[in-house]
Amino acid sequence: MKVQRCKGTRDLSPEEMTRFRLIEGTFRDCCLKWGYQEVRTPTIEYLHLFTSAGTLTPSMLGKVYSFLDWDGWSGERVVLRPEGTIPVARLYIDMMKRGLAKLCYVVNTFIFEETGKKTRERWQCGAELIGVNTPSGDAELILLALEVLKKLKLEGVELRLSHAGLIKALLGKLDLSPEEQAQMFDRILDGDRRALAKLKSGKAELDAIIFPLLNLKGRSSGFLKNLKALSAQALPEFEPYFDNFIAIVDILEALGYDYQIDIASGAGFEYYTGVIFQFFSGGEKIGGGGRYDDLIPSMGGGDIPASGFALYLDRLMNLIKPEMLAEPPGQMVLVKPASAELWKQAFSACQRLREAGHVAKLYLGEKAPAGSRWTLEIQDKEPSYLLRDGVKSSRTEAQSVEEVITLLEEESERKGSLA
Amino acid sequence: MSVKVALPKGRLLARTAALLQNAGWGLDGYHEKARLYRLKCAKFPSLSAKIFHERDIPIQVAIGNYDLGICGLDWVEELLAKYPSSALVKIRDLGYGHGALFVVASRWGEISTLAQVKTRPGLVRIVSEYPNLAESFALRQRLSRFSIFPVWGGAEAYPPENAELALVRGRTEAELDSYGMVVVARVLDYSAFLIANRSSWEAKELDSVVASICNGSGLLAEEDSSTETVMAPEIGHEYLKATDDIVRLALPDGHQQAALLELLDKAGIRVEDYPSAVGNRRPRINLEGVSVKVIRPQDMPLQVANGNFDLAITGRDWLLEHLYQFPSSPVKEILDLKQGKVRMVAVVSQTLPAADVYSLREFATARKEPFRVASEYVNIADKYARENHLGHYRVIPTWGATEAFLPEDADLLIENTETGQTIARHNLKIIDTLFESTACLIGHARIRSSSKKGKRIKSIIDILRAAVGG
């Protein structure tokens, strides 16, 4: 019988795990240096955390993995974490209560994907900045994400910006009931651009401002300032959103970052309230985030603003260039005792090699893989150690493990100087 | 080419039988008292039909055991609400069995509009035979805190004190109103539908069978749409003013009632209007400080666990089914009432080469296809298959007439039997007995015996114990 992997799941091979750890490690290093602390939330949460208005869109809620736990006789359902931010917000309310928190995490999320062709378990690297509501805070998150992507040597990374506050204000101007507004916002967040085409405000002069706003794309804060001027008379209440958006964009511009403004591309979560940012590479979305000032208040955590982002590990893994996958430091040595009596010497030789920073593999009867360079033979006669170089087809005798380590180091230095 | 058709028992049977008679099918034995579930069709000799509980039909068609099926759209939508990618095609509205699903509250409760539900702080409990549709209603309405309680029946009995809302079948709002329910939302209009398995529909020649069903439905007489109005039984005052001292007792509806009445009688307990001809679910009892509600025995353990009832009379089978799903549940058996004895058994087809569970394990694990276990008792069946290492198995939930599943639609049944006669009549054999089940009194594990209520509970237990003679 064929052993089946669960539909919609994936295994990570040793090669893929090298990519995974490179991204995870780079992300953690950057975050720690920016003063973020790592946290991890449980895989299972209560469903009600995600069902309130202003959390997940109904279309996402229809795809979560929810079930009754073994003690679910009260009807309280649990869910496999469908996204990373809400659990971290819960953790903040639970553990930190008040004040500024800079948190980062690497977690898996679960969303049902009908065809089973894409994965239903996905990994993300996320960072949340809780307790601040300033343009510089939003800019920090964008720059942090861009730094991670840069360190991963990803080329052609595009930054697209939108603003949830502005979208909501625009929808508020249209002839829609509050319920229809919420639905339309969800549809925009779910990436349904056609939804916008069907809208009408009922007033020609408003249409003349709103639709260009929703459909225009621009590349500078000048663009936003123009839009602000255009709408200042008819829509004065839009001003704070424009000012906030312009302030963020000004910081990016001053630092020399490229970006594109596309109001209607607000893909993301219903809990966004301010700027929304997305990262693309080769046309594929590799991450995104935004400001969500109403989430923690709606969860009962008090009036705490926040923003954050997530990078999609599964997609980044495909974009990592092979040269980024450095070999482990030191040399890889296969340690091979000549007879059964020499196990003790073999284990201690391995230990010394590892302490010296090399990778030591004990010979267990396997064939040496092609291209593996060093084999250390341990003999019960003189010389006690014989180091074979599979690349040069040479062998060197040694009396002690220390001598072997010196030989390996000389070789490493030579390699280093050649490079 | 053979065509397999799933036909409904219950509410749609009479009209469906009339339709197929119009279509000239010449079925042998498709009527209310059908004792065998496999039918031959004179018009289409290669057609085989089987009778199922209506709720099983969309599932059986979706998984491809049947090419065509006739059932209410309500059960189709209940399946699709949870599994939208099911391989089902809705072919045609057959024009009878009309009804609608409503979300209702109780006239005696605090809720009368959807807006009130949405702005209500705290938990919204929704009771329904349609848990998937109830959940999608709750999600669509963005209720932030809700619990769905699936029930086997009698959902309308729960509001206002045991649930805020119920999702129920009804014909008109007026009808529900006459039962004391307030309609909060209309969720779905349904009628009998012809459905098909998607790959059968795409690949098989079903045209002559489908055409005859369509012709038959065209010839059906107009449905009698007159609704009988039933007056709502008045709710006992003790229910509405249920203080902490009142003991809430759940009594079963269904076939257990006769034997139970005898026992109650012996104990000197009188319950007015039980069983009720008018569907009264809140009969009065001659015990002071006790209020009674009549619900399905299947639903009692969950309701006791949630504190909606202090005591309930149900079968041990349903208690165990509950405890296997929720091992930490606070429900326990208090008293064995020693009546209604049945055995929970493992049943296979006579033709299956297995005499006991050990040879069954060898058979199941040697097989390439998953081993199919059908049962009304999903958790008991799952535990049995798991603990007996039946390899790669699947549990198929059913809603009755389970014997019909063997051998073609399942490999093993877990079900209860009194005499074993039904099992033998269907050419099946018992290979294992899991446990014996009798009626029992169940209650919450944490009752403070010192309280007024605790004392009342104890006196009920004592009266019943004396009547049982134990």
Side-chain angles (χ1 to χ4, degrees):
Chain A
M1 194 170 71
K2 199 183 160 216
V3 180
Q4 287 179 319
R5 182 162 40 80
C6 214
K7 195 173 172 187
T9 60
R10 73 185 286 196
D11 292 312
L12 296 176
S13 66
E15 198 270 342
E16 284 164 328
M17 274 314 292
T18 325
R19 293 166 180 269
F20 186 102
R21 290 291 186 207
L22 171 74
I23 298 162
E24 184 184 43
T26 308
F27 172 77
R28 280 188 72 244
D29 281 352
C30 288
C31 286
L32 295 176
K33 284 183 182 148
W34 285 61
Y36 285 67
Q37 293 173 299
E38 189 174 13
V39 290
R40 185 157 286 178
T41 59
T43 305
I44 301 181
E45 297 274 2
Y46 286 122
L47 175 65
H48 70 78
L49 210 55
F50 302 90
T51 50
S52 319
T55 46
L56 295 191
T57 62
S59 108
M60 270 188 90
L61 278 173
K63 296 177 187 161
V64 300
Y65 282 86
S66 74
F67 53 95
L68 291 171
D69 203 350
W70 288 103
D71 58 359
W73 42 268
S74 66
E76 179 87 73
R77 294 179 88 81
V78 293
V79 65
L80 297 184
R81 171 180 50 218
E83 62 86 69
T85 298
I86 294 171
V88 170
R90 180 198 47 69
L91 175 145
Y92 172 86
I93 296 169
D94 199 25
M95 294 172 78
M96 302 175 179
K97 314 272 193 286
R98 296 247 143 228
L100 181 77
K102 296 185 170 193
L103 304 174
C104 66
Y105 52 88
V106 178
V107 294
N108 49 354
T109 62
F110 299 84
I111 280 287
F112 180 70
E113 189 278 325
E114 227 170 77
T115 64
K117 285 174 188 153
K118 293 182 197 159
T119 55
R120 296 169 182 175
E121 177 185 12
R122 296 165 202 180
W123 287 85
Q124 56 175 245
C125 302
E128 313 292 342
L129 176 50
I130 303 176
V132 209
N133 179 11
T134 59
S136 53
D138 293 324
E140 165 167 316
L141 286 165
I142 295 171
L143 298 188
L144 171 56
L146 286 171
E147 182 181 296
V148 175
L149 297 173
K150 192 177 167 197
K151 289 222 164 122
L152 291 170
K153 297 208 164 55
L154 256 56
E155 280 164 11
V157 173
E158 275 176 60
L159 168 61
R160 285 185 208 165
L161 301 174
S162 176
H163 200 287
L166 206 50
I167 298 175
K168 283 180 181 166
L170 282 166
L171 292 174
K173 280 284 144 193
L174 301 175
D175 193 16
L176 299 172
S177 68
E179 224 151 74
E180 288 170 321
Q181 280 181 38
Q183 276 173 15
M184 191 53 66
F185 186 57
D186 289 344
R187 288 174 70 176
I188 294 172
L189 295 184
D190 285 334
D192 184 359
R193 242 173 208 281
R194 282 172 309 171
L196 287 170
K198 292 177 195 149
L199 293 176
K200 279 277 172 294
S201 72
K203 292 177 206 133
E205 70 275 19
L206 274 180
D207 282 355
I209 300 166
I210 289 172
F211 293 97
L213 256 180
L214 282 170
N215 291 310
L216 277 178
K217 297 176 186 180
R219 300 193 158 274
S220 72
S221 65
F223 167 71
L224 284 176
K225 285 168 190 159
N226 297 341
L227 292 182
K228 182 183 162 190
L230 181 70
S231 58
Q233 271 199 317
L235 308 163
E237 65 271 38
F238 282 25
E239 206 176 299
Y241 302 114
F242 275 119
D243 289 342
N244 173 262
F245 205 175
I246 290 166
I248 295 163
V249 163
D250 273 340
I251 298 175
L252 296 175
E253 218 156 89
L255 292 165
Y257 284 93
D258 264 348
Y259 58 86
Q260 195 188 61
I261 294 163
D262 183 355
I263 303 286
S265 81
F269 296 97
E270 201 179 63
Y271 49 67
Y272 286 148
T273 53
V275 68
I276 300 177
F277 45 95
Q278 304 179 81
F279 305 101
F280 285 82
S281 177
E284 190 182 34
K285 189 172 169 188
I286 52 173
R291 174 154 291 284
Y292 54 94
D293 287 344
D294 296 340
L295 181 65
I296 293 176
S298 78
M299 292 168 71
D303 191 14
I304 307 273
S307 55
F309 72 85
L311 297 175
Y312 309 146
L313 241 162
D314 306 79
R315 294 189 188 164
L316 291 175
M317 275 166 64
N318 301 328
L319 300 173
I320 296 294
K321 296 196 189 80
E323 60 264 30
M324 285 294 290
L325 306 173
E327 280 171 26
Q331 303 289 335
M332 172 94 76
V333 186
L334 183 68
V335 176
K336 199 169 174 181
S339 69
E341 288 75 50
L342 293 164
W343 281 119
K344 188 170 170 254
Q345 288 87 326
F347 274 109
S348 65
C350 283
Q351 192 183 348
R352 268 305 295 136
L353 285 166
R354 288 179 197 129
E355 283 165 1
H358 301 290
V359 178
K361 291 204 288 188
L362 194 66
Y363 175 73
L364 297 169
E366 73 270 37
K367 263 192 192 161
S372 76
R373 185 167 180 185
W374 304 105
T375 306
L376 178 63
E377 287 174 17
I378 301 178
Q379 314 191 96
D380 49 7
K381 57 178 190 208
E382 290 295 314
S384 301
Y385 300 94
L386 208 56
L387 185 65
R388 290 182 186 277
D389 181 340
V391 174
K392 290 187 185 161
S393 301
S394 65
R395 44 182 249 180
T396 315
E397 297 176 358
Q399 297 307 317
S400 67
V401 184
E402 299 314 311
E403 227 176 282
V404 173
I405 291 169
T406 314
L407 284 167
L408 289 171
E409 266 156 23
E410 280 168 12
E411 198 54 45
S412 302
E413 275 162 31
R414 205 169 300 145
K415 193 166 89 180
S417 67
L418 282 174
Chain B
M1 188 164 32
S2 72
V3 176
K4 296 176 77 185
V5 185
L7 298 175
K9 289 186 19 160
R11 60 175 178 166
L12 294 181
L13 190 144
R15 300 283 291 174
T16 308
L19 183 158
L20 297 175
Q21 197 172 4
N22 289 343
W25 276 31
L27 288 174
D28 58 331
Y30 183 42
H31 48 72
E32 300 284 356
K33 299 212 167 68
R35 282 161 67 90
L36 289 171
Y37 299 125
R38 274 172 207 79
L39 307 174
K40 284 256 167 273
C41 170
K43 185 181 169 90
F44 304 106
S46 65
L47 181 150
S48 57
K50 198 145 112 181
I51 309 174
F52 285 97
H53 189 286
E54 202 191 329
R55 191 172 182 175
D56 290 322
I57 291 175
I59 302 166
Q60 288 297 313
V61 173
I63 61 180
N65 283 347
Y66 290 82
D67 303 305
L68 296 169
I70 293 176
C71 64
L73 184 67
D74 49 338
W75 295 118
V76 176
E77 296 299 341
E78 168 68 6
L79 178 70
L80 293 176
K82 183 84 184 178
Y83 305 107
S85 52
S86 300
L88 265 190
V89 188
K90 291 175 250 180
I91 307 276
R92 187 176 158 141
D93 184 345
L94 296 174
Y96 59 93
H98 288 283
L101 297 181
F102 296 94
V103 173
V104 297
S106 164
R107 185 193 296 157
W108 293 281
E110 288 162 3
I111 294 168
S112 55
T113 66
L114 191 54
Q116 282 172 322
V117 177
K118 293 170 83 162
T119 52
R120 202 176 175 281
L123 187 68
V124 178
R125 297 165 297 173
I126 310 178
V127 175
S128 186
E129 283 179 66
Y130 302 85
N132 301 335
L133 288 172
E135 183 172 357
S136 52
F137 167 80
L139 289 176
R140 216 170 40 244
Q141 297 303 330
R142 312 306 305 260
L143 304 185
S144 64
R145 247 357 248 267
F146 62 87
S147 280
I148 307 292
F149 291 110
V151 291
W152 286 72
E156 69 281 2
Y158 290 78
E161 68 277 35
N162 303 138
E164 279 63 46
L165 301 173
L167 193 156
V168 298
R169 274 186 301 272
R171 276 179 288 190
T172 59
E173 293 198 17
E175 183 195 43
L176 294 172
D177 186 61
S178 74
Y179 276 110
M181 290 178 247
V182 185
V183 172
V184 165
R186 188 176 181 125
V187 176
L188 176 77
D189 290 307
Y190 65 80
S191 55
F193 256 72
L194 174 63
I195 58 171
N197 174 268
R198 185 174 296 132
S199 43
S200 301
W201 186 244
E202 283 166 0
K204 268 178 125 170
E205 284 178 20
L206 305 169
D207 54 340
S208 50
V209 175
V210 169
S212 82
I213 293 173
C214 293
N215 288 339
S217 88
L219 296 171
L220 268 183
E222 275 288 300
E223 195 169 15
D224 178 18
S225 63
S226 69
T227 55
E228 15 167 345
T229 307
V230 185
M231 290 312 290
E234 193 141 341
I235 292 189
H237 270 303
E238 54 269 43
Y239 248 108
L240 297 178
K241 290 183 189 150
T243 59
D244 289 348
D245 293 342
I246 299 285
V247 177
R248 294 151 309 160
L249 170 68
L251 293 181
D253 60 7
H255 67 274
Q256 280 192 21
Q257 282 172 328
L260 180 60
L261 274 176
E262 216 173 285
L263 179 75
L264 293 176
D265 204 42
K266 209 169 151 191
I269 299 173
R270 307 264 180 281
V271 186
E272 273 174 43
D273 196 20
Y274 174 78
S276 168
V278 292
N280 180 8
R281 291 188 173 274
R282 292 175 164 91
R284 284 171 195 276
I285 194 166
N286 67 339
L287 295 174
E288 203 208 321
V290 179
S291 67
V292 174
K293 204 184 244 192
V294 178
I295 61 173
R296 290 280 159 95
Q298 294 97 316
D299 299 325
M300 287 179 182
L302 189 69
Q303 292 302 318
V304 172
N306 281 290
N308 283 335
F309 297 94
D310 303 299
L311 294 173
I313 293 174
T314 182
R316 188 173 301 107
D317 48 352
W318 293 113
L319 176 62
L320 289 176
E321 167 69 6
H322 169 76
L323 291 175
Y324 288 169
Q325 186 179 10
F326 304 117
S328 65
S329 167
V331 184
K332 62 167 190 181
E333 178 176 334
I334 294 175
L335 182 65
D336 183 353
L337 300 179
K338 296 183 180 165
Q339 53 170 243
K341 188 155 101 183
V342 291
R343 282 189 299 150
M344 186 65 67
V345 290
V347 175
V348 296
S349 163
Q350 286 283 8
T351 57
L352 196 88
D356 54 33
V357 66
Y358 304 104
S359 48
L360 184 70
R361 180 187 308 168
E362 277 170 31
F363 174 81
T365 48
R367 217 163 78 135
K368 266 195 197 141
E369 306 85 45
F371 193 71
R372 298 163 304 171
V373 187
S375 184
E376 286 179 68
Y377 304 89
V378 176
N379 296 293
I380 292 172
D382 188 34
K383 184 168 187 272
Y384 185 77
R386 200 168 62 224
E387 292 185 346
N388 286 296
H389 304 285
L390 296 183
H392 184 182
Y393 68 87
R394 288 179 187 165
V395 175
I396 305 168
T398 68
W399 281 270
T402 313
E403 302 85 28
F405 282 74
L406 290 187
E408 57 272 33
D409 302 324
D411 304 300
L412 174 72
L413 306 181
I414 302 296
E415 66 169 6
N416 69 46
T417 180
E418 215 176 315
T419 60
Q421 279 174 3
T422 313
I423 289 168
R425 193 170 66 233
H426 285 87
N427 205 22
L428 311 174
K429 64 182 175 189
I430 296 172
I431 57 159
D432 200 3
T433 298
L434 283 66
F435 56 83
E436 276 190 353
S437 175
T438 46
C440 57
L441 182 70
I442 62 168
H444 207 278
R446 290 184 293 274
I447 299 170
R448 281 184 300 118
S449 54
S450 59
S451 66
K452 194 169 178 186
K453 184 182 195 167
K455 285 180 189 138
R456 281 175 172 162
I457 289 173
K458 187 171 178 300
S459 87
I460 296 172
I461 297 169
D462 290 344
I463 296 171
L464 285 171
R465 181 172 288 129
V468 172

